[in-house]
Amino acid sequence: MTGGVVNIGYVELVGASLLMLVAGIVSWRLRLGQTRRIAVSTVRAFVQLLAMGLLLVYLFQYQTWWLVGIVLVGMCIAATQIATGRTKRVMGGLWADTFVSITVSSLVVSFIVVEAVIHADPWYNAMQLVPITGMMLGNTLSASAVATDRLLASMDSRASEIYTMVALGATPREAAFPSIKAAVGAGMTPTLAQLSAAGIVQIPGMMSGQILAGADPIIAAKYQIVVLLMVSAATTLSIVVMCFLAYKKRFSAEGYFLDPALRDDIGSQG
Amino acid sequence: MFEAQHIGVQYQRSGKPFAPFSDVSFALEGGRLYNLTGPSGSGKSTLLAACALMLPRSGGSLVLNGVPFDRFHPTEWRRRVCLVPQAAALVPGTVRDNLRFPWTLKVNAGTQPPSDGALEELLALAQLNGVTLDHSAAQLSGGQQARVALLRAFATRPTVMLLDEVEAALDEESAVAVSRLTRALLTGGTTCLRIRHRADDGYACGTFTLADGAISYEAHPATVSNAPVTGEGVAAPAPRERSR
């Protein structure tokens, strides 16, 4: 099964981390003040990835549908934490919106792919569900964080237009719609760019990993096609869900726009 | 016709408590034009915004033709009690796109947008003769933009018009044209309250003064140009029950 796989020894693994010395030296010489962060990030990547590997070994061995379910929910919560931490404009209530947006989009697309394309056996097989959901979450969390930032920035820059539209009888959705459109459109651009660059500029990470792990390049390519398509679908879905949930946070119950002056009071209460 | 009863406004503005008035009452009668004055910072714009349900209020009620504001959906209320803010923004597109913009909203779904002829008539009445409906809104001057924003609100024929210094960007001649147009639209029981810093133009039947959290009213001597406008205009549609 592991035909052409060349395992990496732990000595070599530690040796590879010496490559981070380049980043460390640059940071030290240019006084970027990032030296500590570089060390912490490197150690974190080490520990987290090995822990994930270890967890998967046990999960594959003892998997039941509810154990896999718990792991998936845990991954969604962790992804939400990371996504909300990235958004500069943190507001009450946005956590739930982010959770809904990335969880729904990632799980829906993952299940479609795992059940209808890969035909996993058993249907909850962690070997397919966990890595695929993980890839979906990684992509949707950054997409929804960027889309939220863009949506709120666009609404703030259109504050006077939104105010005027509401004064003419527009509902919050009608007043926010041009911003929603802009945020969704902009959010889809990197996904489409990635699709058209695939295979020419770069061999995407997942395909590279499979080839390195000894898989047939054609099988790897087929998996990569499925992954790219489902990433596009999941990010688009998460951006749309996120935008249609998040714009409401900028309006009061009576439907007037909460511009920056009004926000300290009401915005924090969600 | 339109009544504000014990209206108060209180909220955190940029983190600091802001409460310009806590108990303000006034009434407007149909077919008349009123001025609102007061020292800067007394809360004139805040009062207009509160009447259009655009700010957090601390209490009080608003009544339109005997119907309290909470019987309306907020968007239905704002369609009838229309605030034209001081720096009204235009939407991207042509002058026609802007004047017809209210009819892209759900709140006006039941009514037909005005014809090009009617819109051109409005432009002429506001002394925007050089401006065609196909003009790009972004290319208009500040004073022209202010008038297009005003006409956009007028075209929807609201019952109460709340104008926040809309003439600030206009020269004297256009300001008078706007006042004349405002008065011409006061048919069918429409009323208008406007914030104004210019010398009186004789069209208002009285002046409200807001100072130190209290409002006072002084009627102007009756003349031909400030007499109540009578005659049937477009009747306001019956209020739709609030859906929430």
Side-chain angles (χ1 to χ4, degrees), chain A residues 158 160-172 174-175 252-258 260-266, chain B residues 11-15 49 53-57 69 74-75 78 82-83 85 87-89 91-92 101 105-107 152-153 244:
Chain A
R158 290 180 54 247
S160 133
E161 190 183 326
I162 290 181
Y163 189 86
T164 310
M165 287 166 94
V166 170
L168 286 167
T171 61
E174 285 170 331
S252 74
E254 271 184 340
Y256 54 82
F257 183 60
L258 299 170
L262 283 173
R263 215 171 284 153
D264 294 325
D265 182 29
I266 296 164
Chain B
Y11 63 92
Q12 300 281 324
R13 186 160 74 173
S14 305
L53 309 182
M54 301 281 284
L55 276 179
R57 297 171 308 283
F69 75 101
T75 57
R78 291 187 199 109
C82 186
L83 169 71
V91 296
F101 168 77
L105 303 175
K106 216 162 47 188
V107 74
R152 179 176 58 189
R244 280 184 288 133

Side-chain angles (χ1 to χ4, degrees), chain B residues 42-60:
Chain B
S42 59
K44 301 183 294 292
S45 299
T46 306
L47 180 60
L48 290 197
C51 289
L53 309 182
M54 301 281 284
L55 276 179
R57 297 171 308 283
S58 56

Side-chain angles (χ1 to χ4, degrees), chain A residues 73-244:
Chain A
V73 170
M75 285 163 65
C76 292
I77 292 173
T80 308
Q81 272 316 74
I82 297 170
T84 50
R86 270 191 207 175
T87 311
K88 280 174 237 124
R89 301 164 182 80
V90 186
M91 294 177 293
L94 208 55
W95 198 94
D97 293 347
T98 311
F99 182 77
V100 169
S101 137
I102 66 182
T103 301
V104 167
S105 56
S106 299
L107 289 186
V108 164
V109 176
S110 297
F111 270 93
I112 291 174
V113 168
V114 169
E115 310 311 331
V117 180
I118 302 178
H119 301 293
D121 179 40
W123 64 268
Y124 52 81
N125 198 338
M127 201 177 283
Q128 282 92 28
L129 260 183
V130 171
I132 284 178
T133 308
M135 270 188 286
M136 293 302 95
L137 285 172
N139 283 285
T140 56
L141 84 84
S142 43
S144 69
V146 170
T148 313
D149 245 8
R150 222 182 289 246
L151 172 75
L152 300 183
S154 162
M155 283 171 66
D156 279 350
S157 71
R158 290 180 54 247
S160 133
E161 190 183 326
I162 290 181
Y163 189 86
T164 310
M165 287 166 94
V166 170
L168 286 167
T171 61
R173 180 183 290 199
E174 285 170 331
F177 197 72
S179 296
I180 295 176
K181 229 166 86 174
V184 171
M188 284 169 66
T189 310
T191 312
L192 297 178
Q194 194 190 6
L195 268 184
S196 40
I200 299 175
V201 181
Q202 43 139 221
I203 297 181
M206 182 214 158
M207 188 167 163
S208 318
Q210 275 193 318
I211 294 172
L212 284 175
D216 176 353
I218 293 296
I219 296 178
K222 284 197 271 191
Y223 263 90
Q224 190 61 56
I225 291 168
V226 170
V227 165
L228 280 178
L229 294 180
M230 70 188 196
V231 162
S232 311
T235 49
T236 307
L237 195 60
S238 74
I239 292 168
V240 171
V241 172
M242 191 64 207
C243 285
F244 276 97

Side-chain angles (χ1 to χ4, degrees), chain B residues 138-172:
Chain B
Q139 284 170 358
L140 301 176
S141 73
Q144 289 171 329
Q145 290 192 355
R147 272 174 284 173
V148 170
L150 194 63
L151 293 181
R152 179 176 58 189
F154 285 172
T156 66
R157 300 308 309 262
T159 317
V160 181
M161 297 187 281
L162 306 168
L163 312 183
D164 190 348
E165 274 195 76
V166 290
E167 306 123 319
L170 305 185
D171 58 54
E172 192 57 41

Side-chain angles (χ1 to χ4, degrees), chain B residues 1-4 25-29 34 208 217:
Chain B
M1 218 279 311
F2 176 81
E3 264 182 89
S25 301
F26 65 90
L28 307 177
E29 281 174 47
Y34 300 85
F208 291 98
Y217 179 68

